[in-house]
Amino acid sequence: MRIFSALYERVMQWARHPHAVWYLAGLGFAESSFFPVPPDVMLAPMSMARPQRAVALALVTTLASVAGGMAGYLIGMLAFDVIEPLLHQWGYFDEYLQARQWFAEWGFWAILVAGFSPIPYKVFTITAGVVGMVFIPFVLASAVGRGARFFLVALLMAWGGKGMEDRLRHWVDWLGWLTVLAVVIIVVAMKL
């Protein structure tokens, strides 16, 4: 079954869409404050499809993500009692507690490292607002941490360019099914 090939072709079409940059910015903003899907899922194929624009795409993603992080900060500062039940419902409360611990131990460095952490970035932005992290260092750490991540993703994909796009097109079904198999194995192992 070649369902991953069809999905891959669709994603590459979206990456070349005239309004794709706006969608990327929207996703970057939303993911930093409330949305579960990271912007890397758009940034990577867009950078691969348009390697000459990779740096600009990384910059757009970084700026939008930092702006979304500011919104997350405000959510944490002004409305944590409203969203706390959602953190429980969506399974993010343990990550929230971990982020609080990181802030207590490392402060500024916690938000800087958060750009590469497996804990969703929105959890850190909201937590920064809850704990009252000083705003300017929060913004600077967000810009450096998120920027490092997005520029790394964009430049790696641009470096791969058309050749990587062709290789992925060739192997995407195998990679997709291997990923599904790995997830099934992990889930079964966790249940046992």
Side-chain angles (χ1 to χ4, degrees):
M1 286 175 88
R2 299 185 53 88
I3 59 174
F4 295 102
S5 294
L7 182 59
Y8 178 78
E9 292 304 326
R10 177 70 53 131
V11 167
M12 293 311 291
Q13 283 178 332
W14 291 338
R16 291 180 174 93
H17 190 276
H19 300 296
V21 173
W22 291 105
Y23 302 143
L24 177 63
L27 184 57
F29 179 89
E31 183 268 340
S32 294
S33 50
F34 62 88
F35 195 65
V37 178
D40 308 63
V41 300
M42 280 188 73
L43 177 61
M46 288 175 70
S47 296
M48 195 167 40
R50 298 177 177 174
Q52 70 283 4
R53 298 197 58 213
V55 170
L57 294 169
L59 181 61
V60 164
T61 309
T62 301
L63 293 174
S65 181
V66 171
M70 291 180 202
Y73 183 98
L74 290 174
I75 290 169
M77 187 173 78
L78 302 173
F80 184 72
D81 52 340
V82 174
I83 64 152
E84 184 178 5
L86 295 174
L87 291 176
H88 286 284
Q89 180 181 343
W90 295 337
Y92 286 137
F93 197 75
D94 289 340
E95 286 87 349
Y96 162 74
L97 294 175
Q98 180 68 52
R100 277 195 75 115
Q101 181 181 343
W102 286 15
F103 274 109
E105 291 178 28
W106 301 312
F108 170 88
W109 298 104
I111 202 72
L112 187 74
V113 172
F116 291 94
S117 165
I119 298 173
Y121 187 64
K122 71 190 111 311
V123 172
F124 282 95
T125 65
I126 292 168
T127 305
V130 170
V131 301
M133 181 179 182
V134 180
F135 190 69
I136 297 300
F138 165 78
V139 172
L140 292 174
S142 292
V144 172
R146 296 302 267 184
R149 172 180 170 166
F150 297 137
F151 277 89
L152 178 65
V153 167
L155 293 173
L156 283 173
M157 293 296 106
W159 175 67
K162 181 76 171 131
M164 183 182 288
E165 183 179 343
D166 293 340
R167 283 190 297 281
L168 279 175
R169 182 175 286 112
H170 179 74
W171 291 102
V172 72
D173 285 302
W174 280 99
L175 293 170
W177 287 114
L178 286 173
T179 302
V180 169
L181 179 63
V183 167
V184 168
I185 290 170
I186 291 169
V187 168
V188 168
M190 290 176 68
K191 297 277 185 188
L192 299 176

